[in-house]
Amino acid sequence: MKTGKYIEIEDQFGAHNYHPLDIVVRKAEGVWVEDVDGKRYIDFLAAYSAVNQGHCHPRLLKALRAQAARVTLTSRAFRNDQLPHFCREICELTGFPRVLPMNSGAEAVETALKAARKWGEKVKGVPAGQGEIIACADNFHGRTITIVSFSTDEQYRDGFGPFTPGFKIIPYGDADALAAAINERTVAFLVEPIQGESGIVVPPAGFLARARRLCSQHNVLLICDEIQSGLGRTGKLFAYEWENVRPDGVIVGKALSGGFYPVSAFLSSDEVMSVFHPGDHGSTFGGNPLGMAVAREAMRVLVEEKLVERSAELGPWFMEKLAAIKSPSIVKVRGKGLWVGLVLDRKARPYCEALMQEGLLCKETHDTVIRFAPPLCITRKDLNLALRRVAKVFKKLDG
Ligand SMILES: *Cc1c(COP(=O)(O)O)cnc(C)c1O
């Protein structure tokens, strides 16, 4: 079957809640993706950083297969022999004392919001139902009704009301606004250390450090959403490390399972996590042995293949090379590690389509930004190949 036929069937029977590039992927390995017509592409999106380890990593495949043949789901009604190892290993890797595993990113964000509200009530002493959570303009934390309740993107909210109350918005990167927004009912500040969906927006230096101080002063939880920025993407295990801060809670997902299986988690302190008692919160699939076995191996691959270090080493070099591409349409190159936003003065979609034609897969975000986020296992050679393709496309479309 040809590309056009697959698209026709999907368009006929599927909901149209995405506007994908017209490539139908059949298989993938490492940084390379192949479509149903046999054409090969370098993946420069990595499923929004969910495949930092590279597509179909052999070690993850092996872990998945072995666990799938043993036991895949017990529910949390019973214990399983993978969850304890996962809990200890992710706590040791990240330095947080406790973890609560979920499946999708949005569920882990919801978990963090529930933890913060309950901590506010039970520990901080905020009157019941009065807790406030501060978030940032242009945030992206997922798609549930509660989460889009504090989105500032009208499209994400349009038609989905009524919304969940209890959220306040400040401009991203504005510590003065955070100081002004905090009051005695504030329970948490939820923030992406670098905003991904909004176009790889790096806040002013010192923002997160000041946010940390303000949160500590006012007994407010600092919660970092590192679902996209975490697990090596920016050249640190967590992007908050760039500001030498330690949040009270961190949310992870995406690369936590290297693209094989949805696994997410909320990590925090004993104090925060102790608000959850049996029956308060949960998930049928959260903490299942298949997901836990895959996540354990995904973390080991991240560490043993030095993917965080690779991102730190190759990122600045790649960004420098990108900045050297002279084009009247490029306004700015920004990012951290192998996570780069190319800001254009015009719509980015035609560039992404042309890059696809050249064998480079990436996706526009917010109309005018091209996001580059290859799997972290990428070689300098493949980055060079990608750079040549980018330069060619800009020369062609600008000219
Ligand atoms: C992708 C993402 C989410 C949502 O994750 P899902 O698995 O799609 O629910 C939340 N926060 C950030 C920063 C993300 O990039």
Side-chain angles (χ1 to χ4, degrees):
M1 213 154 74
K2 290 280 190 203
T3 296
K5 189 65 186 167
Y6 286 99
I7 293 171
E8 191 189 310
I9 296 171
E10 184 178 318
D11 282 354
Q12 185 182 345
F13 294 103
H16 293 186
N17 58 327
Y18 276 94
H19 180 34
L21 291 178
D22 282 340
I23 168 185
V24 180
V25 176
R26 178 167 55 195
K27 59 181 187 179
E29 186 185 349
V31 302
W32 291 91
V33 162
E34 192 181 310
D35 72 12
V36 291
D37 301 325
K39 184 174 171 184
R40 277 159 58 83
Y41 307 78
I42 308 176
D43 184 359
F44 251 54
L45 179 64
Y48 302 98
S49 293
V51 285
N52 284 356
Q53 295 87 341
H55 287 279
C56 294
H57 196 291
R59 285 179 57 179
L60 297 189
L61 180 61
K62 197 170 164 219
L64 178 102
R65 278 194 168 135
Q67 187 59 44
R70 280 197 296 269
V71 59
T72 55
L73 186 61
T74 57
S75 85
R76 298 287 302 272
F78 313 124
R79 297 178 189 260
N80 70 69
D81 70 353
Q82 293 300 309
L83 179 60
H85 292 301
F86 167 82
C87 291
R88 179 161 72 192
E89 287 161 15
I90 196 170
C91 286
E92 283 173 1
L93 177 68
T94 62
F96 284 88
R98 279 184 198 274
V99 63
L100 197 163
M102 296 295 278
N103 311 286
S104 69
E107 286 175 304
V109 171
E110 287 272 349
T111 301
L113 299 174
K114 286 172 89 172
R117 280 184 168 186
K118 196 156 186 184
W119 171 87
E121 222 174 283
K122 308 292 176 189
V123 180
K124 182 169 177 172
V126 174
Q130 305 262 306
E132 284 180 3
I133 293 171
I134 301 172
C136 293
D138 302 319
N139 70 71
F140 184 83
H141 298 289
R143 301 289 202 160
T144 66
I145 286 178
T146 288
I147 294 171
V148 299
S149 295
F150 56 92
S151 173
T152 58
D153 187 319
E154 265 318 303
Q155 193 195 350
Y156 292 175
R157 296 162 49 88
D158 182 35
F160 298 131
F163 297 108
T164 307
F167 297 96
K168 256 189 191 172
I169 299 292
I170 61 158
Y172 187 58
D174 187 343
D176 291 331
L178 177 61
I182 291 175
N183 61 39
E184 66 284 355
R185 296 186 306 278
T186 310
V187 297
F189 175 46
L190 173 67
V191 64
E192 298 158 86
I194 294 175
Q195 286 185 331
E197 290 317 293
S198 121
I200 325 296
V201 181
V202 184
F207 167 63
L208 208 59
R210 235 192 110 200
R212 173 69 280 178
R213 286 198 295 278
L214 285 166
C215 287
S216 299
Q217 267 164 26
H218 298 280
N219 196 21
V220 168
L221 301 177
L222 174 64
I223 299 177
C224 289
D225 180 345
E226 294 256 12
I227 291 171
Q228 194 166 156
S229 57
L231 304 177
R233 178 48 62 186
T234 70
K236 301 268 191 195
L237 185 65
F238 289 120
Y240 62 69
E241 293 169 41
W242 287 107
E243 290 253 319
N244 292 313
V245 304
R246 184 138 196 93
D248 302 293
V250 67
I251 307 160
V252 288
K254 295 202 167 107
L256 183 53
S257 55
F260 271 81
Y261 195 91
V263 180
S264 65
F266 173 57
L267 291 137
S268 193
S269 61
D270 288 328
E271 183 184 280
V272 170
M273 221 56 109
S274 69
V275 303
F276 288 123
H277 300 290
D280 286 353
H281 183 55
S283 156
T284 303
F285 280 83
N288 74 75
L290 186 58
M292 298 300 94
V294 170
R296 292 176 66 202
E297 192 68 1
M299 289 189 283
R300 277 195 289 266
V301 165
L302 209 63
V303 172
E304 288 168 21
E305 298 189 358
K306 301 200 178 330
L307 296 180
V308 186
E309 292 84 345
R310 288 185 71 78
S311 180
E313 188 197 322
L314 295 172
W317 169 82
F318 176 65
M319 217 146 70
E320 209 173 281
K321 294 275 184 187
L322 268 179
I325 295 175
K326 291 288 167 253
S327 162
S329 54
I330 300 177
V331 178
K332 199 175 173 186
V333 182
R334 65 187 179 204
K336 265 279 196 257
L338 281 172
W339 204 30
V340 183
L342 206 58
V343 187
L344 309 186
D345 68 354
R346 59 198 76 179
K347 286 205 182 303
R349 177 89 184 189
Y351 288 83
C352 293
E353 282 167 359
L355 285 165
M356 184 182 86
Q357 293 305 323
E358 286 301 322
L360 189 71
L361 291 182
C362 53
K363 189 74 166 58
E364 77 279 6
T365 177
H366 278 237
D367 266 13
T368 59
V369 183
I370 307 177
R371 165 180 22 203
F372 290 140
L376 303 181
C377 59
I378 196 164
T379 60
R380 208 178 276 261
K381 183 165 157 269
D382 285 342
L383 280 173
N384 263 316
L385 184 58
L387 281 162
R388 283 200 296 278
R389 292 175 179 181
V390 174
K392 188 172 166 194
V393 161
F394 274 93
K395 202 165 163 204
K396 196 158 94 190
L397 266 64
D398 289 342

